Amino acid sequence: AQSVAQPEDQVNVAEGNPLTVKCTYSVSGNPYLFWYVQYPNRGLQFLLKYITGDNLVKGSYGFEAEFNKSQTSFHLKKPSALVSDSALYFCAAGDNYGQNFVFGPGTRLSVLP
Amino acid sequence: EPEVTQTPSHQVTQMGQEVILRCVPISNHLYFYWYRQILGQKVEFLVSFYNNEISEKSEIFDDQFSVERPDGSNFTLKIRSTKLEDSAMYFCATRPGTFAANIQYFGAGTRLSVL
């Protein structure tokens, strides 16, 4: 069975500093990995995905994520955090056919001015 | 940019009542999903729907739940005889039919409050 872990409930970072939100996964077969962001009272907004190809994927709003097969990780990163990046971030894994996603528990990112 | 639309944004109901949550998928999307997020907890898969039938469902999706596309466009989740523990945020998601484009696009959700 697929599973996704986000070891940190909360990440605090100062504005302008780099940020990392961690995600590890356990899937059978090839991993299909995604990051979504949830702002207050909003739905889940797609940020980026890894299906195949380069291990470093770039997404919306300056975010990127690095796929590391040996460590089964897919950490979300941004070189310079903005206060507006403060939100709840979810890592998700899909199966080969893009069927149901398994979500991690979420990490709340707070960017402090 | 096209988006998934969910109505209502907030639904309050009495325990034991039936509710129907509605979703308008992005046009030309063929796969539809419902997820649930209990307050403070993770997003959980409920059911996926393709070609007018359920393709996969979780153990959460028991006989209390049903889905359909009543008019070929809207995608609905019906919860019969609601329970207090059904209170949650319900998200609809859709994706195109092509294999490679397996991003799921989520609606803003419906907050269900069962009293």
Side-chain angles (χ1 to χ4, degrees):
Chain A
Q2 299 175 148
S3 67
V4 175
Q6 293 178 243
E8 301 156 317
D9 294 334
Q10 174 89 35
V11 170
N12 297 321
V13 64
E15 186 175 29
N17 283 359
L19 69 87
T20 298
V21 182
K22 296 179 181 177
C23 170
T24 59
Y25 64 89
S26 174
V27 302
S28 55
N30 295 324
Y32 291 69
L33 302 167
F34 304 81
W35 275 102
Y36 283 83
V37 59
Q38 185 180 29
Y39 297 101
N41 301 315
R42 301 286 298 277
L44 298 167
Q45 185 174 344
F46 170 77
L47 276 180
L48 50 77
K49 68 174 181 178
Y50 172 83
I51 304 298
T52 186
D54 291 340
N55 290 342
L56 184 65
V57 293
K58 294 186 182 298
S60 306
Y61 312 120
F63 283 93
E64 57 190 27
E66 186 168 11
F67 170 67
N68 187 318
K69 187 173 183 178
S70 62
Q71 297 184 4
T72 62
S73 67
F74 189 56
H75 300 332
L76 181 70
K77 300 180 180 183
K78 187 173 182 180
S80 179
L82 301 172
V83 172
S84 57
D85 292 330
S86 299
L88 192 56
Y89 289 81
F90 289 96
C91 181
D95 64 19
N96 287 342
Y97 302 100
Q99 283 287 37
N100 58 295
F101 281 0
V102 173
F103 282 87
T107 297
R108 187 165 300 282
L109 172 67
S110 293
V111 181
L112 309 173
Chain B
E1 182 176 317
E3 59 182 22
V4 176
T5 304
Q6 290 186 244
T7 56
S9 57
H10 190 194
Q11 174 82 52
V12 182
T13 189
Q14 295 291 325
M15 189 171 57
Q17 296 297 305
E18 175 183 284
V19 295
I20 298 176
L21 310 183
R22 291 181 169 79
C23 170
V24 178
I26 295 172
S27 64
N28 82 353
H29 282 201
L30 301 178
Y31 294 82
F32 313 116
Y33 307 83
W34 282 102
Y35 291 84
R36 179 181 79 177
Q37 184 183 31
I38 295 173
L39 185 63
Q41 299 186 24
K42 66 165 65 176
V43 178
E44 301 171 292
F45 167 75
L46 290 177
V47 64
S48 57
F49 191 85
Y50 170 70
N51 199 26
N52 289 318
E53 61 182 25
I54 291 174
S55 48
E56 191 170 352
K57 60 182 180 179
S58 73
E59 58 188 26
I60 302 170
F61 194 88
D62 58 22
D63 292 343
Q64 181 193 11
F65 295 91
S66 62
V67 290
E68 63 176 359
R69 293 193 75 198
D71 55 11
S73 59
N74 292 316
F75 177 52
T76 63
L77 174 68
K78 181 187 290 185
I79 309 175
R80 287 180 283 274
S81 188
T82 50
K83 302 183 288 247
L84 294 176
E85 54 264 38
D86 293 328
S87 295
M89 196 77 167
Y90 289 82
F91 292 106
C92 172
T94 74
R95 73 173 177 93
T98 55
F99 172 74
N102 50 6
I103 300 168
Q104 293 184 21
Y105 296 85
F106 285 77
T110 293
R111 182 172 299 283
L112 176 64
S113 299
V114 182
L115 307 179

